[in-house]
Amino acid sequence: MNDDLLVINDAIIEYNSYERFLGYSVDIFHHGLNERKKLYALSIKALESKTQNVVNNWVCQWNKMQYGLSNYTWKEEQCLIANEKTIYAKSKIDNLEKLLKKSKFIDYQIDWDLMANLAEFPEINPESSLDSQLKILVYPIRPDIIPYLRKPMKDDIEYKINESFFDKIFPFLKGKKVNKAEQLYLDDLHQWESNNTLIDDQNQSNLTKYEEELSVVKKEESLILAKFHDDMESYKQRLSDYKCKQEAHRFSIQKFKNDYYNGNSEAIISYCELVLINSEYPFDFCKELFLEYNPSNGLLIIEYQLPQIEMLPKIKEVKYFALKDDFKETFLSEIQISKIYDVVLYQIALRSIREIYEADTISAINMVVFNGWVRAINKATGKEENNCILSIQTNKKEFLEIDLRNVDPKVCFKNLKGVAASKLCNLTPIQPLINISKEDKRFITNNEVLDNVDNSQNLASMNWEDFEHLIREIFEKEFKSSGGEVKITQASRDGGVDAVAFDPDPIRGGKIVIQAKRYTNTVGVSAVRDLYGTLMNEGATKGILVTTADYGSDAYDFAKGKPITLLNGANLLFLLEKHGYHARIDIKEAKKLINEQV
């Protein structure tokens, strides 16, 4: 298959409006099949597996459409391809009508362990390639020392004379032999010395060449080891950063899980959004959601952006015409598409409600309101509109008694008192049964308290809500010079976000979460861990923890190397002084006052 036909974009991390982790997503395209999908998964491994399955199916389908059997004629082969395209088109339509039946066998509960596990560090340890790099080096063999020749000795046999009878009679004859033997010895001795000099020179030459070759290899080895050392240090740093990211990710997921099981409204909303976002459909559409949860009655309102009718597959049949040597596509009629569109939207509504109820492991959801919206061009005005076209309210007990595998989606919807026009394809707007407020309800009206602070004010005994407003005000002044904005959240005493700063500075700016602790005791590491988890959940660039007391050594150790600033009582007084405000912190006085109140 031509690689240009298949496009797989990089995976991205998805977050919701509360900056909670929703998983990973990837967009994939097949230009030959004209298919596009956006896949979601709770982990990179799961996303890779899903992507591979879709790609394999696409490749198989494309191959069927492109390559016939060799023993067929051209016409027969093209007819087979047309038939495969028809089967593929019909299967896509058939899948649309079975959204409820196929979803029955899916477990919608969130796998926290899967979500908490990131993929293994993708880089290869440089140590794995060091040996192979060193093995390439060819080390010279140290030359053997050429030994000296044996030194001639006077008593060697070749220097001895054989004394004859005449030598005894004529001494001069013996003298000649002695002189000749002596001269032979001296000549051999001289030759031996010359040969040894040559051997010394050869040994030195061999050793010099060896040392030069060894020096070259040692230099190459040093370069390899130096690069390895640098690569290893860099690798260790990236690995450490990755592990820190993993730790933060697992911590944020654990906090998310704890918040959910503790009934935290924001966590319940994020959990439900996670369920709906990761729900798979046989055709692609961008899931835009907005949820609201009322803990007092267990009501969940879902604002769901439904797919447009143009997003549905429309090919009904493909035929091959031999005379033109071309394929012709037959499309569904507008009436057929409209009927399928209505069925699909009713199924999405019913299936989404069931997904929420079945995933509700803590029984937090007693009732669901599903409002389905469609964004489309108004043919009368030519302007884009976003209208609610269906709305349904169900309670859990009533809904779970329904066997969705055997229902008519529209009849079931109407039986549950759902509200919609007779034909959804007309996009007739209706009034939602219950509206949802899209304001961020965490932010509240500011309460100005800073101007009333003076030297008589002991911050350690200040009303805790006023203290949070004071922190918001002083940071508002701190960020004012750079055009920043600070908002205070609803008082909760739950360790959440007390204020959020938005710093527009392109380098050091971003979203900054601030927590205020009006404490009289040392702040332990748990508070800093909570801030770090909040920082990750909010998708913030920095976290600031402010207290009237001080922090333990474990708190400072945990904050080291993380985007967290710890401000103790002395730091807070300095910040107030910086902006012209004078106050004091007396821990003993505050403790005494608290004891008296108790």
Side-chain angles (χ1 to χ4, degrees):
M1 186 188 70
N2 190 340
D3 291 338
D4 294 337
L5 293 175
L6 183 66
V7 178
I8 302 177
N9 291 334
D10 292 334
I12 62 173
I13 302 177
E14 298 281 353
Y15 296 95
N16 68 357
S17 56
Y18 293 101
E19 299 299 335
R20 293 273 192 181
F21 175 77
L22 287 180
Y24 301 89
S25 70
V26 64
D27 285 299
I28 58 176
F29 304 85
H30 194 292
H31 296 297
L33 295 173
N34 194 27
E35 289 280 11
R36 174 188 183 276
K37 263 189 175 296
K38 185 169 186 176
L39 301 175
Y40 294 86
L42 298 180
S43 71
I44 285 291
K45 287 185 178 179
L47 186 65
E48 289 174 348
S49 177
K50 282 186 178 181
T51 303
Q52 192 60 56
N53 287 338
V54 173
V55 168
N56 289 343
N57 289 334
W58 282 354
V59 170
C60 181
Q61 189 61 43
W62 179 250
N63 289 340
K64 286 181 180 179
M65 293 180 179
Q66 296 302 306
Y67 308 110
L69 301 175
S70 58
N71 59 339
Y72 282 87
T73 66
W74 172 257
K75 179 181 177 181
E76 290 172 332
E77 187 176 301
Q78 298 305 98
C79 288
L80 284 173
I81 293 173
N83 185 57
E84 286 294 338
K85 289 185 175 183
T86 298
I87 293 173
Y88 184 59
K90 288 182 177 179
S91 68
K92 291 169 70 175
I93 300 298
D94 184 57
N95 287 335
L96 296 180
E97 297 172 346
K98 296 179 179 178
L99 295 180
L100 292 178
K101 292 182 179 180
K102 290 192 173 184
S103 66
K104 177 64 179 176
F105 306 101
I106 300 173
D107 182 6
Y108 295 105
Q109 294 184 8
I110 297 303
D111 187 336
W112 297 101
D113 292 334
L114 178 64
M115 193 162 60
N117 288 326
L118 290 174
E120 294 182 1
F121 188 54
E123 297 184 33
I124 299 174
N125 190 325
E127 287 181 344
S128 62
S129 61
L130 179 61
D131 287 343
S132 60
Q133 294 180 60
L134 293 177
K135 283 180 180 179
I136 297 175
L137 299 177
V138 180
Y139 289 84
I141 300 173
R142 187 179 184 89
D144 293 333
I145 301 298
I146 303 174
Y148 288 145
L149 299 174
R150 180 178 177 277
K151 183 179 181 180
M153 306 298 292
K154 283 187 176 183
D155 57 354
D156 289 344
I157 190 170
E158 59 264 36
Y159 306 124
K160 291 182 179 181
I161 64 172
N162 295 319
E163 190 175 356
S164 66
F165 172 77
F166 292 102
D167 293 334
K168 295 179 180 178
I169 298 175
F170 305 105
F172 73 92
L173 293 176
K174 180 180 179 182
K176 284 183 178 182
K177 288 184 177 181
V178 169
N179 290 337
K180 186 178 180 181
E182 181 70 21
Q183 188 60 47
L184 179 60
Y185 166 73
L186 293 175
D187 290 344
D188 287 351
L189 183 62
H190 178 72
Q191 185 61 46
W192 174 80
E193 290 174 347
S194 297
N195 288 339
N196 282 349
T197 300
L198 292 175
I199 290 173
D200 283 337
D201 292 343
Q202 187 62 49
N203 281 334
Q204 186 59 46
S205 175
N206 291 345
L207 185 60
T208 300
K209 182 181 179 183
Y210 163 76
E211 289 176 345
E212 288 174 351
E213 293 176 350
L214 183 62
S215 176
V216 171
V217 178
K218 285 285 188 183
K219 187 175 181 180
E220 293 178 4
E221 180 186 59
S222 296
L223 291 174
I224 291 174
L225 291 176
K227 184 177 184 303
F228 166 73
H229 180 268
D230 293 341
D231 291 346
M232 198 65 194
E233 289 298 314
S234 178
Y235 170 82
K236 286 179 179 178
Q237 183 59 51
R238 293 192 299 275
L239 178 60
S240 176
D241 293 343
Y242 188 80
K243 286 183 176 179
C244 185
K245 179 183 176 182
Q246 281 187 317
E247 178 191 355
H249 175 72
R250 291 192 183 103
F251 182 77
S252 67
I253 297 302
Q254 186 60 47
K255 186 176 187 304
F256 183 6
K257 180 180 179 180
N258 292 340
D259 289 345
Y260 173 71
Y261 279 99
N262 288 330
N264 178 279
S265 297
E266 177 196 311
I268 291 172
I269 290 174
S270 298
Y271 179 88
C272 293
E273 189 171 0
L274 192 62
V275 171
L276 296 177
I277 284 290
N278 283 278
S279 179
E280 294 184 36
Y281 288 88
F283 67 103
D284 192 66
F285 67 98
C286 183
K287 299 187 185 72
E288 295 180 48
L289 311 169
F290 197 88
L291 285 70
E292 185 177 82
Y293 173 70
N294 186 339
S296 63
N297 57 8
L299 170 65
L300 180 73
I301 307 175
I302 304 171
E303 303 281 8
Y304 199 107
Q305 201 69 42
L306 296 167
Q308 300 167 335
I309 195 169
E310 293 79 12
M311 296 177 180
L312 299 184
K314 300 175 178 61
I315 299 175
K316 179 181 179 181
E317 187 179 15
V318 180
K319 290 185 177 181
Y320 173 70
F321 289 87
L323 292 177
K324 295 183 178 181
D325 190 23
D326 195 12
F327 296 99
K328 181 180 180 181
E329 296 175 338
T330 303
F331 296 93
L332 296 169
S333 67
E334 287 190 12
I335 294 176
Q336 289 174 314
I337 293 174
S338 297
K339 287 182 178 179
I340 292 173
Y341 184 64
D342 282 17
V343 171
V344 167
L345 296 195
Y346 284 126
Q347 287 184 99
I348 290 175
L350 296 173
R351 173 172 155 172
S352 297
I353 295 171
R354 187 175 69 188
E355 289 170 353
I356 292 299
Y357 283 144
E358 290 191 356
D360 181 27
T361 58
I362 62 172
S363 300
I365 312 297
N366 298 321
M367 186 175 296
V368 171
V369 172
F370 182 96
N371 297 326
W373 296 72
V374 175
R375 189 179 288 112
I377 300 295
N378 186 320
K379 295 181 180 180
T381 63
K383 296 181 179 180
E384 184 180 76
E385 295 180 354
N386 190 28
N387 295 320
C388 180
I389 64 168
L390 63 83
S391 183
I392 183 173
Q393 177 178 343
T394 75
N395 66 67
K396 190 173 187 177
K397 182 180 179 181
E398 173 190 29
F399 192 85
L400 291 181
E401 290 177 352
I402 300 172
D403 186 352
L404 293 181
R405 294 174 298 176
N406 301 317
V407 302
D408 178 297
K410 182 176 180 179
V411 174
C412 180
F413 181 88
K414 295 295 184 181
N415 187 58
L416 291 169
K417 311 303 180 189
V419 178
S422 58
K423 292 185 179 181
L424 297 180
C425 59
N426 292 334
L427 305 182
T428 305
I430 57 103
Q431 180 64 35
L433 294 173
I434 301 180
N435 280 308
I436 190 170
S437 171
K438 296 185 179 179
E439 297 286 332
D440 189 336
K441 295 183 177 179
R442 293 187 303 165
F443 298 144
I444 59 175
T445 304
N446 298 333
N447 182 18
E448 305 296 333
V449 299
L450 193 55
D451 288 339
N452 297 324
V453 172
D454 55 30
N455 285 325
S456 65
Q457 177 69 61
N458 182 5
L459 300 184
S461 60
M462 190 177 191
N463 175 277
W464 64 272
E465 289 182 88
D466 287 342
F467 181 71
E468 290 178 2
H469 282 283
L470 179 141
I471 296 303
R472 188 270 310 163
E473 284 188 76
I474 194 61
F475 275 101
E476 190 172 48
K477 294 183 180 295
E478 182 70 15
F479 287 108
K480 187 176 182 180
S481 60
S482 60
E485 180 184 10
V486 179
K487 293 184 177 182
I488 194 165
T489 60
Q490 294 184 27
S492 62
R493 280 185 166 177
D494 62 354
V497 181
D498 295 324
V500 177
F502 300 94
D503 186 353
D505 189 283
I507 297 176
R508 63 176 175 83
K511 182 179 180 181
I512 302 170
V513 294
I514 304 168
Q515 287 184 347
K517 302 292 184 185
R518 191 224 59 191
Y519 281 7
T520 55
N521 294 318
T522 300
V523 180
V525 69
S526 60
V528 188
R529 287 185 184 275
D530 288 344
L531 174 63
Y532 192 40
T534 301
L535 185 153
M536 300 304 296
N537 290 335
E538 291 281 337
T541 56
K542 185 177 182 179
I544 301 175
L545 189 60
V546 188
T547 184
T548 48
D550 205 342
Y551 303 92
S553 59
D554 53 350
Y556 283 112
D557 287 341
F558 181 83
K560 192 180 299 181
K562 296 181 178 66
I564 294 176
T565 298
L566 302 180
L567 298 181
N568 59 20
N571 300 139
L572 175 57
L573 291 177
F574 176 81
L575 190 60
L576 289 167
E577 292 279 348
K578 175 181 175 181
H579 293 282
Y581 296 93
H582 305 283
R584 63 189 179 87
I585 294 176
D586 189 328
I587 299 297
K588 289 183 179 180
E589 178 186 290
K591 285 184 175 181
K592 182 179 179 182
L593 181 61
I594 292 172
N595 290 333
E596 289 176 352
Q597 291 174 346
V598 173

